[in-house]
Amino acid sequence: PGLGLVALSRELPLSKNQLSSLMRECVFLNSSAKCVLTIDRDTFHGAMVSCLFHRSVIEVFDHLFTLWDSKGYDFVEFRIFLVGISPLACGPRDSLSSALLFSMELMDPVGTGCINPSNLSKILIAINSTASFLGDPVLANREIQEIVRHVFLSYSYTRTNADLVPRLVRHPKVAKIINGKGTERYQIACKKKRKKGTARERNRMIEQVVNFVNGRGTERHQSADKSKRIRGTARERKRMIEQRVRNGGCMGCLYEV
């Protein structure tokens, strides 16, 4: 299968209920932390295990965690992160309206059923970011802000999700975010703030996700690399011993051994 939000969502054994339970588990496990908005990698992995996630989902989410952790601090803001990957829990039978409502529900911890422009912007940017990590063409941030201004143009500051979703669905650019049909590529959408090393790391992670979804794991590759390193070290050691024998005789050889 191809890579992208839509393609990956068809391959992962993940449901909306599972992602909602993961959100609740993250809140519970992180309730005693100094910063309740962020979660570290080990705690997040433990939350996925507690929710009995399939191994393939854990593997993909771990890669996405790395991509979201742009500064390498080994933690992310879990609510924004889960909202960003929420389309992966929506199957082919879910409509665009259903996917947007689900993202809004994850963004609403109290369950008010309402949303403001700031949170709507965070939702669209988060989904847009995940799509960019998976290689999809995305929207620039200025386009997302245009969507938010258009939706709230004739509405008050806070509106219910049910009122806003139909207006969002009618906007032609919203479907492009979910379906990966934007006009911008990753570096342009993020204003080229990332360094080349980060881009290479992103490409490597994307390749690993592709290989995993297509059933091409990395176990043999890693074993081969490790074996190669061991053989290389042994050859180097043998070369050093032979050199010492030539330079210092048997004593040099015994000293090295």
Side-chain angles (χ1 to χ4, degrees), residues 231-247 256:
R231 289 197 299 270
T233 304
R235 286 194 296 267
E236 183 67 22
R237 183 177 179 84
K238 182 179 179 181
R239 194 180 306 115
M240 291 176 63
I241 293 175
E242 291 174 351
Q243 185 177 359
R244 280 185 176 272
V245 170
R246 288 194 298 269
N247 295 337
E256 179 64 30

Side-chain angles (χ1 to χ4, degrees), residues 81-135:
F81 173 57
L82 293 180
V83 167
I85 63 178
S86 61
L88 296 178
C90 300
R93 296 183 179 180
D94 288 301
S95 63
L96 179 59
S97 300
S98 175
L100 290 171
L101 277 173
F102 178 59
S103 300
M104 292 178 180
E105 290 172 1
L106 292 177
M107 196 67 183
D108 184 16
V110 185
T112 61
C114 298
I115 193 170
N116 57 39
S118 176
N119 283 340
L120 179 60
S121 177
K122 291 178 180 177
I123 290 173
L124 296 179
I125 289 175
I127 296 174
N128 198 56
S129 297
T130 300
S132 70
F133 293 147
L134 295 176

Side-chain angles (χ1 to χ4, degrees), residues 147-251:
I147 294 173
V148 175
R149 285 194 296 269
H150 174 77
V151 170
F152 281 91
L153 181 62
S154 59
Y155 288 163
S156 60
Y157 186 72
T158 300
R159 297 295 296 180
T160 63
N161 299 340
D163 290 338
L164 285 180
V165 166
R167 191 174 177 87
L168 272 173
V169 172
R170 288 195 297 269
H171 199 288
K173 291 185 178 180
V174 173
K176 292 182 178 180
I177 299 177
I178 304 294
N179 297 325
K181 297 180 179 180
T183 57
E184 304 285 348
R185 283 294 179 180
Y186 179 78
Q187 290 88 350
I188 298 176
C190 295
K191 300 182 180 179
K192 299 184 179 180
K193 288 184 178 179
R194 295 177 182 265
K195 299 180 181 179
K196 292 182 179 179
T198 307
R200 286 195 295 268
E201 179 70 12
R202 165 189 165 269
N203 292 335
R204 184 180 67 83
M205 288 295 175
I206 288 176
E207 184 180 356
Q208 289 180 354
V209 173
V210 175
N211 290 337
F212 187 84
V213 172
N214 292 331
R216 298 192 297 268
T218 58
E219 284 292 330
R220 295 180 180 177
H221 174 70
Q222 291 173 351
S223 299
D225 284 349
K226 184 177 179 181
S227 177
K228 184 178 179 181
R229 288 196 299 269
I230 293 174
R231 289 197 299 270
T233 304
R235 286 194 296 267
E236 183 67 22
R237 183 177 179 84
K238 182 179 179 181
R239 194 180 306 115
M240 291 176 63
I241 293 175
E242 291 174 351
Q243 185 177 359
R244 280 185 176 272
V245 170
R246 288 194 298 269
N247 295 337
C250 295
M251 290 303 295

